[in-house]
Amino acid sequence: MVKEFISQLPPDKLTPFKKHPYQVREDAAMDELVESVRTYGILSPLLARPKGEGYELVSGHRRRLAAQKLGLPTVPVLVREMTDDEAVILMVDSNLQRENLLPSEKAFAYQMKLEAMKHQGKSTSVQLAPKLTTEQIGYEAGISKDVVKRYIRLTNLVPPLLQMVDDGRIAFSPAVELSYLNEDCQRDLVDEIDLNDCTPSHDQAIRMRKFFEEGKLTTEAISAIMSEEK
């Protein structure tokens, strides 16, 4: 039996979820949310769990910020006891249906959910666990398990490259190929991109991955591949 209750809690007493993969952006959508809360209040309670002497926010980080911007003394919160893995899965699922999620947000969210599901022992076989969990994640998200795996690959990108993916400078498919390069090669690529203001095409990314797997991806090779006509 899940122990839960609804309470009015000060927004500042709600600690953001540890390693929360979703960005709480102060953009036009946030402005709209603030106006909605100003007019109608918070219609759906936030979700939190007891943590130490306070509460850890599982879902509702944007509503919490809106309440703070408006100076609301309290917000409605559904407080529920849950394990770390249960909290991760709820946190991920409650946000995945939002529009305009960044590739990096999806990547780290899928990764966190995958690890949580494996911890929960959803599969009876260690060998089958990654396959079955990615299938389940994909089914629940309305995508294939292969797309889930490709998103998770993005977590291997160095921050500057991942930021370029979020900014739309590097497309999803070449980004997945680049995720197989080690950190040194990725940083050499970042330098090449900054130097010549160019980003790799899918074909160029495939060639770099191939060279890397053959042990031939030097700084000079990266420069030569990036100088090719797209």
Side-chain angles (χ1 to χ4, degrees):
M1 183 89 178
V2 176
K3 295 181 180 179
E4 62 181 33
F5 59 89
I6 292 182
S7 181
Q8 291 286 335
L9 299 173
D12 293 343
K13 297 298 182 182
L14 298 168
T15 304
F17 196 86
K18 186 177 180 180
K19 296 183 179 178
H20 192 277
Y22 304 107
Q23 298 179 25
V24 181
R25 295 184 286 277
E26 299 199 35
D27 52 13
M30 175 56 69
D31 293 339
E32 291 177 4
L33 178 59
V34 169
E35 288 308 308
S36 175
V37 172
R38 189 196 311 275
T39 304
Y40 305 107
I42 295 179
L43 303 179
S44 178
L46 288 68
L47 177 63
R49 63 171 178 160
K51 190 77 169 181
E53 298 299 319
Y55 301 94
E56 182 179 50
L57 191 58
V58 175
S59 176
H61 292 77
R62 297 178 71 250
R63 281 168 285 165
R64 172 180 177 267
L65 178 57
Q68 289 175 316
K69 284 178 171 292
L70 292 169
L72 300 185
T74 62
V75 293
V77 181
L78 173 61
V79 179
R80 176 184 297 171
E81 291 186 3
M82 60 187 88
T83 66
D84 290 346
D85 294 330
E86 290 170 340
V88 165
I89 292 171
L90 268 173
M91 180 272 298
V92 169
D93 288 348
S94 65
N95 286 277
L96 269 179
Q97 301 308 316
R98 277 171 40 201
E99 296 181 2
N100 303 319
L101 285 178
L102 297 172
S104 64
E105 293 176 308
K106 291 183 180 181
F108 285 104
Y110 289 141
Q111 182 190 54
M112 289 181 71
K113 184 173 181 179
L114 177 64
E115 291 303 315
M117 290 176 68
K118 287 193 292 186
H119 290 160
Q120 284 188 326
K122 293 284 184 179
S123 172
T124 58
S125 166
V126 173
Q127 288 77 21
L128 288 177
K131 178 176 182 292
L132 293 178
T133 49
T134 51
E135 281 183 350
Q136 184 172 340
I137 291 170
Y139 174 78
E140 292 171 354
I143 58 178
S144 73
K145 69 178 187 299
D146 291 333
V147 173
V148 172
K149 292 176 181 177
R150 283 161 64 80
Y151 267 110
I152 292 175
R153 284 297 321 171
L154 299 185
T155 63
N156 294 290
L157 292 173
V158 296
L161 284 181
L162 187 55
Q163 185 62 55
M164 292 180 199
V165 180
D166 282 346
D167 293 341
R169 292 184 63 193
I170 298 179
F172 179 69
S173 290
V176 172
E177 299 297 327
L178 298 175
S179 73
Y180 289 91
L181 309 184
N182 65 15
E183 181 175 343
D184 288 341
C185 289
Q186 288 189 41
R187 293 199 178 279
D188 285 343
L189 176 59
V190 170
D191 292 340
E192 183 68 23
I193 290 172
D194 291 341
L195 183 64
N196 296 298
D197 192 24
C198 59
T199 53
S201 66
H202 191 200
D203 286 343
Q204 288 172 324
I206 290 174
R207 280 171 55 75
M208 280 187 272
R209 177 182 172 183
K210 184 174 184 295
F211 271 49
F212 174 74
E213 290 174 345
E214 294 173 349
K216 301 176 182 177
L217 191 63
T218 62
T219 302
E220 292 74 18
I222 291 174
S223 180
I225 292 173
M226 290 296 291
S227 66
E228 298 171 351
E229 289 190 14
K230 293 184 175 63

